[in-house]
């Protein structure tokens, strides 16, 4: 009811914050469904009680006042019935500086990945698309992998996006509010089609937000490695 009240008071314009959580139109629609379901349940109970001649049960001694922990639990339980969700990420209190997370997802990147992403982002750089031009790539540039000589370089923006994506399940899935930015991005070694990448995350720092007291800012360093154990991407973000 609180989500519906806030949304309708703001006339449904954009997103807004309720009790430290960002809500938007899907939250409003889901809240309306929960209210409707609870209303239908109450009608059915009253009808059943009238037929059986029983009175409504006395209020429980538990604190179920609006806004109480119990009331919040009831709302959450009903919401899960309508649209169950599972969040895997860690919360602010769990992301202690020094924590290292090895992510379970790995990915072998392909030539089609490179061509599709490069064209999708309107990047016509021949080093990503032109095999003839790439014949001049040296063994030193390829990181010592003789099979890589002559292959187009993988689009580094895809490498960065893949690194962040692989880090999500164990780090920020469902627990992050926003990506504030990247303070450093490095590509120490090139990536070529056929390379297999894995990722790790290190928590560098955390602090409470000065503008949002119910939230915090965490600095994460994501690192991507290829099948030879070489660092191919390092990104620091908040």
């Amino acid at each position: 009811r609180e989500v519906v009240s806030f949304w309708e008071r703001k006339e449904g314009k954009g997103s807004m914050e309720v009790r430290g959580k960002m809500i938007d139109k899907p939250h409003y629609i889901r809240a309306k469904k929960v209210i409707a379901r609870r209303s239908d349940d109450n009608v059915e109970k009253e009808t059943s009680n009238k037929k059986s001649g029983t009175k409504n049960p006395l209020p429980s001694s538990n604190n179920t006042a609006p806004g109480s922990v119990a009331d919040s639990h009831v709302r959450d339980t009903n919401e899960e019935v309508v649209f169950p969700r599972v969040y895997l990420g860690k919360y602010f209190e769990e992301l202690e500086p020094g924590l290292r997370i090895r992510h379970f997802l790995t990915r072998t990147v392909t030539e089609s990945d490179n061509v599709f992403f490069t064209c999708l982002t309107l990047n016509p750089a021949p080093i990503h698309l032109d095999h003839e031009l790439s014949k001049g790539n040296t063994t030193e540039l390829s990181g010592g992998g003789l099979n890589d000589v002559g292959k187009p370089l993988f689009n580094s923006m895809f490498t960065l996006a893949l690194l962040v994506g692989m880090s999500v399940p164990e780090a920020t899935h469902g627990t992050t509010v926003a990506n504030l930015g990247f303070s450093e991005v490095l590509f120490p070694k090139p990536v070529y089609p056929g390379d297999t990448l894995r990722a790790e995350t290190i928590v560098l720092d955390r602090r409470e937000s000065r503008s949002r007291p119910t939230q915090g800012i965490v600095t994460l360093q994501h690192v991507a490695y290829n099948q030879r154990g070489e660092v191919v991407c390092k990104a620091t973000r908040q």
Side-chain angles (χ1 to χ4, degrees):
R1 295 182 188 279
E2 188 177 15
V3 169
V4 172
S5 176
F6 267 90
W7 186 264
E8 292 179 347
R9 199 181 310 159
K10 295 285 186 178
E11 298 180 351
K13 295 179 180 179
S15 301
M16 62 195 71
E17 185 176 331
V18 178
R19 293 191 183 184
K21 295 183 178 180
M22 297 302 295
I23 66 169
D24 50 20
K25 191 170 183 178
H27 293 91
Y28 167 72
I29 294 173
R30 193 160 62 249
K32 293 276 284 187
K33 289 181 179 179
V34 171
I35 293 173
R37 177 184 288 268
R38 293 180 66 184
S39 178
D40 291 342
D41 289 343
N42 290 336
V43 171
E44 288 179 7
K45 287 179 181 179
E46 289 179 4
T47 303
S48 176
N49 288 339
K50 287 179 181 179
K51 288 181 179 180
S52 61
T54 59
K55 296 182 179 179
N56 290 330
L58 293 173
S60 169
S61 59
N62 293 331
N63 180 12
T64 56
S68 68
V69 174
D71 178 59
S72 175
H73 174 71
V74 171
R75 290 200 308 272
D76 291 344
T77 302
N78 282 320
E79 182 175 334
E80 287 180 2
V81 172
V82 177
F83 200 104
R85 293 179 181 272
V86 177
Y87 298 131
L88 305 176
K90 298 184 184 302
Y91 288 91
F92 179 79
E93 293 76 14
E94 300 174 282
L95 294 168
E96 298 182 357
L99 175 66
R100 179 186 291 268
I101 304 170
R102 179 172 291 177
H103 302 290
F104 81 94
L105 287 173
T106 60
R107 177 74 143 77
T108 298
V109 296
T110 66
E111 186 170 354
S112 61
D113 292 331
N114 187 44
V115 173
F116 181 70
F117 185 86
T118 298
C119 294
L120 186 67
T121 54
L122 303 180
N123 182 349
I127 58 172
H128 300 316
L129 300 170
D130 192 327
H131 280 256
E132 275 303 309
L133 180 69
S134 299
K135 287 181 179 179
N137 286 348
T138 63
T139 302
E140 288 76 19
L141 181 62
S142 71
L146 297 178
N147 293 332
D148 292 331
V149 176
K151 291 183 180 180
L153 289 170
F154 216 85
N155 192 313
S156 58
M157 293 298 98
F158 180 94
T159 305
L160 174 61
L162 178 62
L163 169 58
V164 174
M166 289 192 294
S167 76
V168 168
E170 299 93 340
T172 60
H173 181 261
T175 57
T176 187
V177 176
N179 182 26
L180 300 182
F182 292 83
S183 55
E184 183 181 55
V185 176
L186 301 173
F187 301 102
K189 293 283 185 178
V191 175
Y192 292 92
D195 283 349
T196 299
L197 306 184
R198 68 176 183 87
E200 292 185 2
T201 293
I202 303 170
V203 180
L204 299 182
D205 186 36
R206 72 175 182 186
R207 66 173 177 84
E208 293 183 359
S209 172
R210 287 185 286 269
S211 58
R212 295 187 175 188
T214 60
Q215 297 167 1
I217 297 175
V218 181
T219 301
L220 303 173
Q221 184 182 72
H222 305 303
V223 184
Y225 300 86
N226 63 17
Q227 68 275 18
R228 294 185 290 272
E230 300 167 333
V231 176
V232 296
C233 183
K234 185 180 291 186
T236 302
R237 70 179 181 121
Q238 291 73 34

